Amino acid sequence: MTSESRLEEPLTDRIRTVILGGDFVPNQRLVEADVCEQFGATRAAVRAAFKELAGEGLVEILRNKGARVRAISKAEAVEITEVRMVLEGLSAAKAAERVTAGQAAELRETVAAMRAAVEGNNLDRYSELNAVLHAKVREIADHRTSASIIERLGAQVVRHKFRLARQPGRAAVSLPQHELIVAAIVARDPEAAQTAMQQHLRSVAKALEATPD
């Protein structure tokens, strides 16, 4: 992305990208003057962006103290994953009902690339493809309400997901779960797809619970 296109991107999106990318860390104070300078924006625009991001759970606005990046505890990350389990299960079921032959081929290609990444011990690539696969399922499901909630919740726990993805052996556990999800969607079996997705995210929640604080 060029500097010109970044300037055309809405301010809220630009700040969100920086938070999710880890440039702003949990509990970091967001000084209005500094953010204005960094993004070439007015104080009014920055305050409006902070309010929007607070609504997404990424920023918290403290009385008389300004804004800071919201820290998500492990317990809250587990709860968010449990909610995602229900919503992504619905999304997988809808995807199984609506998948086309071309979309099925894309899912197969993605999960095959995930297997290659595991075999090559490329955790960064696996993590990237993991996100791609879940996004493809939401796209195929074409269920806008669940997709918007899933994406907002997923953004809140991005740091926890990154830590979990780096755990030794985690990708080898996760891969067959994703293969089952894809197999059920491609087979156009909504019940099996929902069950496979929920079992996968239940596994994620348990793995999060086991991680150190």
Side-chain angles (χ1 to χ4, degrees), residues 124 153 191 194 198 204:
D124 289 338
L153 292 175
E191 185 175 346
Q194 182 173 29
Q198 290 179 339
V204 172

Side-chain angles (χ1 to χ4, degrees), residues 22-148:
D23 295 327
F24 290 164
V25 298
N27 290 321
Q28 179 177 337
R29 187 170 170 239
L30 299 172
V31 180
E32 277 185 16
D34 294 343
V35 176
C36 288
E37 182 178 355
Q38 179 173 347
F39 293 96
T42 65
R43 283 183 179 267
V46 167
R47 286 172 187 158
F50 286 170
K51 286 181 181 178
E52 192 172 345
L53 293 167
E56 296 177 12
L58 295 177
V59 166
E60 55 185 345
I61 300 173
L62 307 174
R63 184 184 295 273
N64 301 322
K65 293 184 179 179
R68 71 180 181 189
V69 179
R70 193 163 85 86
I72 306 295
S73 68
K74 183 176 76 173
E76 188 175 359
V78 170
E79 289 183 2
I80 288 170
T81 304
E82 289 170 342
V83 174
R84 285 179 56 218
M85 182 174 69
V86 177
L87 293 174
E88 293 207 46
L90 169 64
S91 183
K94 290 293 183 183
E97 292 173 1
R98 297 170 176 172
V99 66
T100 66
Q103 291 168 332
E106 289 179 4
L107 290 174
R108 289 193 193 97
E109 289 173 6
T110 302
V111 83
M114 290 171 75
R115 173 163 288 282
V118 171
E119 291 172 352
N121 199 31
N122 189 340
L123 296 182
D124 289 338
R125 178 62 176 157
Y126 181 81
S127 182
E128 175 188 331
L129 288 166
N130 186 349
V132 167
L133 181 64
H134 282 264
K136 281 182 183 292
V137 172
R138 293 195 297 274
E139 179 184 347
I140 295 166
D142 193 25
H143 195 278
R144 287 180 293 177
T145 301
S146 65
S148 64

Side-chain angles (χ1 to χ4, degrees), residues 116-196:
V118 171
E119 291 172 352
N121 199 31
N122 189 340
L123 296 182
D124 289 338
R125 178 62 176 157
Y126 181 81
S127 182
E128 175 188 331
L129 288 166
N130 186 349
V132 167
L133 181 64
H134 282 264
K136 281 182 183 292
V137 172
R138 293 195 297 274
E139 179 184 347
I140 295 166
D142 193 25
H143 195 278
R144 287 180 293 177
T145 301
S146 65
S148 64
I149 299 170
I150 290 165
E151 288 164 10
R152 187 168 70 247
L153 292 175
Q156 292 180 27
V157 296
V158 66
R159 289 183 178 84
H160 291 275
K161 290 192 291 185
F162 179 78
R163 286 179 60 200
L164 186 61
R166 308 298 298 179
Q167 285 188 354
R170 178 62 202 168
V173 171
S174 165
L175 174 64
Q177 296 170 354
H178 287 97
E179 290 175 329
L180 284 174
I181 293 165
V182 169
I185 293 174
V186 167
R188 297 177 174 80
D189 187 337
E191 185 175 346
Q194 182 173 29
T195 298

